[in-house]
Structure formats: structure tokens, C-alpha cells
Amino acid sequence: MRPDYTLYLVTDCRLMSTETLSEVVEQAILGGCTMVQLREKDVSSLDFYRQAVQIKKITDKYGIPLIINDRMDIAMAVGAAGVHVGQSDVPAVVARKKIAADMLLGVSVSSIDEAVQAANSGADYLGVGAMFPTGTKTDTTFVSMEELQRIRHTVSIPIVVIGGISTENAGVFQPLGIDGLAVVSAIIAQPDIAKAAATLKGLFYGKGNANVF
């Protein structure tokens, strides 16, 4: 079954409005998140592993794929659905060879050249951005809507957009053939995480607010 990339949560415990990361993830899933990436840059390897174990219990409970940022070893250790790498991480072609054949490989890109290279290296999906200014990453390259459309027309694998995704812009991407929204603060920093997720998912489909299930 093809993964559902519609609403792709990327974690950052520095921004969360709840006491625990587990609560963030569960509330986001209840609001309609369809995929979760554990991306915690400022923790030790042991703590990251422990977080992955805890979060996978939640994603497994709801049948949601868990993606691990960068750390192939931890992704395989916890039986995650996949791993996501950036342009400054292990090259995608190497990651594809290292991880299990049935694991998803996501790659962050910001240009057609990077997108084509990632697709040719075995990426299952692309994270394209940053689309808009974002406080979660300061070393970003911005991607124009025109470049996004060129990437979409050039590669056939799924695309999620990331970087400053919010209620103001969530509705512009699905008509362009984009498969989903990758979101950090617009979900996890909100006082009502489930409602924030449901709202973004509804806006992506042009339906206003979606229902929390």
C-alpha cells in the first residue's frame, strides 16, 4: 500500500505545547497526521533511540509510518518505516543501500538537480523546501513556487512541501499535484494540536476544517 503523505508531522520538542513528545504525536495523529518524522537534533544518541522507541509505540497503535531523521542505525534498530536524509547527511544512494529494501527513503531537496539526483538514487519521496520563512531552521534555501512546479513536472515520486507551512498557505499545494504538507510549528506549537492538524489537513484539500477522528 502506498504511504499517505497528506499531513507529515516533523517533531521538534523545543516547540511543543505539551509536556511530552508522545502527547504531541498522539494528538497530531488524532487530528489527522498520516506520517511522523522524529527529528530531534539536540539530544544524545541514547536519548534519540529512547524517543524513537516511545514514539513508535504510538505510531504503531494507530498504523502510522514512523520516519527517523538521518539516523539509519536508529531507524533500523526500532523497526521504523523509513529514514529521511538531507543534502548534508549521508548521500541518498548510500542510504538506499544501507537500509532494508522495504524501508522508505525520503530526501530533502531545493532544486530540480537535487530532486532528479535523489529520485535516481532510490528516494521514495522528496521533501521540497523551504517554501516560506521558518523559525525551525535558519540555514535554509528557499524554493519558489515556479521551481516547485518544475520539480513536480520532472520527477514522478511523491512530494511533500516543508518550511513555513501554515493555515495561510496550506491550500495552495494540492492543486499543483503535491502529495502532502510537512509541518512542524503549525501543529506542535499550537495549544490544540489535534485541531491544528485537522485544520491544516482540511485546508490542504480545500475543505476548510476537517473532523478530528
Coordinates of all heavy atoms in Angstrom, one line a residue, residues 7 165-171 181 183 186-187 195-205 208-210:
L7 N -0.4 14.6 5.5 CA -0.1 15.5 6.6 C 1.1 14.9 7.4 O 0.9 13.9 8.2 CB -1.2 15.8 7.6 CG -1.1 17.0 8.6 CD1 -0.7 18.3 7.9 CD2 -2.3 17.2 9.4
I165 N 5.0 26.2 6.4 CA 3.6 25.8 6.1 C 2.6 26.2 7.2 O 2.9 25.9 8.4 CB 3.5 24.3 5.8 CG1 4.5 23.8 4.8 CG2 2.1 23.9 5.4 CD1 4.4 24.5 3.4
S166 N 1.5 26.8 6.8 CA 0.6 27.3 7.9 C -0.8 27.3 7.3 O -1.0 27.0 6.1 CB 1.0 28.8 8.2 OG 0.8 29.6 7.1
T167 N -1.7 27.8 8.1 CA -3.1 27.9 7.6 C -3.3 28.9 6.5 O -4.2 28.8 5.7 CB -4.1 28.3 8.8 OG1 -3.6 29.5 9.4 CG2 -4.1 27.2 9.9
E168 N -2.3 29.9 6.4 CA -2.4 30.9 5.4 C -2.1 30.3 4.0 O -2.5 30.9 3.0 CB -1.5 32.1 5.7 CG -2.0 33.0 6.8 CD -2.0 32.4 8.2 OE1 -1.0 31.6 8.4 OE2 -2.9 32.7 9.0
N169 N -1.2 29.3 3.9 CA -0.8 28.8 2.6 C -1.0 27.3 2.4 O -0.7 26.8 1.3 CB 0.7 29.1 2.5 CG 1.6 28.5 3.6 OD1 1.4 27.4 4.0 ND2 2.4 29.4 4.2
A170 N -1.6 26.6 3.3 CA -1.8 25.2 3.2 C -2.6 24.7 2.0 O -2.5 23.6 1.5 CB -2.4 24.6 4.5
G171 N -3.5 25.6 1.5 CA -4.4 25.3 0.5 C -3.9 25.4 -1.0 O -4.6 25.0 -1.9
L181 N 1.8 18.0 3.1 CA 2.4 19.1 3.8 C 3.2 18.5 4.9 O 2.8 17.7 5.7 CB 1.3 20.0 4.4 CG 0.2 20.5 3.6 CD1 -0.8 21.2 4.4 CD2 0.7 21.4 2.5
V183 N 5.0 19.5 8.3 CA 4.7 20.6 9.2 C 5.3 20.4 10.6 O 5.4 19.3 11.1 CB 3.1 20.8 9.4 CG1 2.8 21.9 10.3 CG2 2.4 20.9 8.1
A186 N 3.4 24.7 13.1 CA 2.0 25.0 12.8 C 1.1 23.9 13.4 O -0.1 24.0 13.5 CB 1.7 25.1 11.3
I187 N 1.7 22.8 13.9 CA 1.0 21.8 14.6 C 1.4 21.7 16.1 O 0.7 21.9 17.0 CB 1.1 20.4 14.0 CG1 0.3 20.4 12.6 CG2 0.5 19.3 14.9 CD1 0.4 19.1 11.9
K195 N -6.7 19.8 16.8 CA -7.5 20.8 16.0 C -6.6 21.4 14.9 O -7.0 21.6 13.8 CB -8.1 21.9 16.9 CG -8.9 22.9 16.1 CD -9.5 23.9 17.0 CE -10.4 24.9 16.3 NZ -10.9 25.9 17.2
A196 N -5.3 21.8 15.3 CA -4.4 22.4 14.3 C -4.2 21.4 13.1 O -4.1 21.8 12.0 CB -3.1 22.8 15.0
A197 N -4.0 20.2 13.5 CA -3.7 19.2 12.4 C -4.9 19.0 11.5 O -4.8 19.0 10.3 CB -3.3 17.8 13.0
A198 N -6.1 18.9 12.1 CA -7.3 18.7 11.3 C -7.6 19.9 10.4 O -8.0 19.8 9.3 CB -8.5 18.6 12.3
T199 N -7.3 21.1 10.9 CA -7.5 22.3 10.1 C -6.6 22.4 8.9 O -7.0 22.6 7.8 CB -7.2 23.6 11.0 OG1 -8.2 23.6 12.0 CG2 -7.4 24.9 10.1
L200 N -5.3 22.0 9.1 CA -4.3 22.0 8.0 C -4.7 21.0 7.0 O -4.6 21.2 5.8 CB -2.9 21.8 8.6 CG -2.3 22.9 9.3 CD1 -1.0 22.5 10.0 CD2 -1.9 24.0 8.3
K201 N -5.1 19.8 7.5 CA -5.5 18.8 6.5 C -6.7 19.2 5.7 O -6.7 18.9 4.5 CB -5.8 17.5 7.3 CG -5.9 16.2 6.4 CD -6.0 15.0 7.3 CE -5.9 13.7 6.5 NZ -6.0 12.5 7.3
G202 N -7.7 19.8 6.3 CA -8.8 20.2 5.6 C -8.5 21.3 4.6 O -9.0 21.3 3.4
L203 N -7.6 22.2 5.0 CA -7.2 23.3 4.1 C -6.4 22.7 2.9 O -6.5 23.2 1.7 CB -6.4 24.3 4.8 CG -7.1 25.2 5.8 CD1 -6.1 26.0 6.7 CD2 -8.1 26.1 5.1
F204 N -5.6 21.7 3.1 CA -4.9 21.1 2.0 C -5.8 20.6 0.9 O -5.5 20.7 -0.3 CB -4.0 19.9 2.5 CG -3.2 19.2 1.5 CD1 -2.1 19.8 0.9 CD2 -3.6 17.9 1.1 CE1 -1.4 19.1 -0.1 CE2 -2.9 17.2 0.2 CZ -1.8 17.8 -0.4
Y205 N -6.9 20.0 1.3 CA -7.9 19.5 0.4 C -9.0 20.6 0.0 O -9.9 20.2 -0.7 CB -8.6 18.3 1.0 CG -7.7 17.1 1.0 CD1 -7.4 16.4 2.2 CD2 -7.3 16.5 -0.2 CE1 -6.6 15.3 2.1 CE2 -6.5 15.4 -0.3 CZ -6.2 14.8 0.9 OH -5.4 13.7 0.9
G208 N -11.8 23.5 4.1 CA -11.9 24.2 5.4 C -11.5 23.2 6.5 O -10.6 22.4 6.3
N209 N -12.1 23.2 7.7 CA -11.7 22.3 8.8 C -12.1 20.9 8.5 O -13.2 20.6 8.1 CB -12.3 22.9 10.1 CG -11.7 24.1 10.5 OD1 -10.8 24.7 9.9 ND2 -12.2 24.6 11.7
A210 N -11.2 20.0 8.8 CA -11.6 18.6 8.8 C -12.0 18.1 10.2 O -11.8 18.8 11.1 CB -10.3 17.7 8.3

